[in-house]
């Protein structure tokens, strides 16, 4: 009986520190983390039975996470990001496109310069010196 009262007292203290919204947010975050870990475990497992186990755990955790999310959303406990303005999205897309074009131009410019450069090649130098002196190369 003392243990039961102590557990209830401990739960009461936690609930006094955190409200329902905070507790739900913590649990939701933990469920999201567990989903990522189960997905990683399932994709990295080589044993079909273990893969199936993690896949089942993943599915059940996804359902729990979805249910908690729905409850939080219905009770205005989950604030989604405000929708972005179309103008802002278009502006960002245009900036990214410009950056992509500048990068492509820079890469092309530097690649073009490298193609025009001659790198030191001892075989080419030896061949050129033999051609200039008129001697045939000999090999041992």
């Amino acid at each position: 009986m003392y243990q039961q009262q102590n557990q209830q007292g401990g739960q009461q203290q936690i609930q006094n520190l955190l409200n329902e919204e905070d507790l739900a947010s913590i649990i939701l975050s933990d469920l999201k983390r567990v989903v990522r870990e189960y997905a990683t475990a399932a994709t990295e497992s080589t044993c079909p039975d273990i893969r199936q186990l993690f896949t089942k755990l993943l599915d059940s955790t996804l359902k729990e996470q979805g249910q908690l999310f729905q409850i939080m959303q219905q009770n205005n406990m989950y604030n989604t990001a405000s929708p972005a303005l179309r103008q802002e999205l278009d502006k960002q897309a245009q900036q990214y496109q410009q950056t992509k074009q500048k990068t492509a131009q820079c890469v092309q410019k530097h690649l073009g310069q490298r193609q025009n450069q001659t790198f030191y090649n001892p075989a080419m130098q030896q061949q050129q010196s033999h051609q200039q002196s008129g001697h045939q190369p000999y090999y041992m």
Side-chain angles (χ1 to χ4, degrees):
M1 183 158 184
Y2 172 76
Q3 189 178 13
Q4 187 179 16
Q5 287 176 344
N6 197 17
Q7 281 181 335
Q8 290 175 352
Q11 289 174 351
Q12 187 65 31
Q13 287 176 346
I14 292 173
Q15 288 177 350
N16 288 339
L17 295 174
L18 300 171
N19 61 28
E20 285 183 0
E21 184 175 351
D22 292 335
L23 287 171
S25 293
I26 291 169
I27 294 169
L28 185 66
S29 294
D30 282 344
L31 287 171
K32 289 177 182 180
R33 179 186 52 79
V34 170
V35 163
R36 285 190 304 271
E37 290 174 4
Y38 285 158
T40 300
T43 56
E44 291 182 0
S45 63
T46 56
C47 175
D49 292 337
I50 300 297
R51 183 181 178 94
Q52 185 179 19
L53 171 69
F54 280 118
T55 302
K56 286 180 182 179
L57 289 169
L58 174 64
D59 289 341
S60 67
T61 306
L62 281 169
K63 287 177 186 172
E64 289 176 24
Q65 185 271 335
Q67 291 169 347
L68 180 58
F69 170 77
Q70 292 296 325
I71 291 169
M72 289 177 70
Q73 196 173 37
Q74 290 168 1
N75 292 301
N76 295 321
M77 293 181 171
Y78 193 91
N79 298 323
T80 57
S82 61
L85 297 174
R86 184 68 186 172
Q87 285 177 299
E88 212 40 52
L89 292 174
D90 290 342
K91 181 180 174 183
Q92 286 294 321
Q94 186 179 14
Q95 287 176 348
Y96 290 135
Q97 189 64 30
Q98 288 172 352
T99 302
K100 180 181 170 185
Q101 287 173 347
K102 287 178 183 178
T103 303
Q105 289 171 352
C106 182
V107 168
Q108 191 62 31
K109 177 182 172 186
H110 290 291
L111 285 178
Q113 288 176 350
R114 282 190 180 169
Q115 288 174 353
N116 293 335
Q117 293 175 347
T118 305
F119 294 101
Y120 175 73
N121 184 343
M124 285 177 48
Q125 183 180 12
Q126 187 180 23
Q127 193 176 27
Q128 288 173 351
S129 67
H130 288 298
Q131 287 174 352
Q132 290 173 352
S133 65
H135 298 294
Q136 292 293 326
Y138 62 94
Y139 301 98
M140 291 187 181

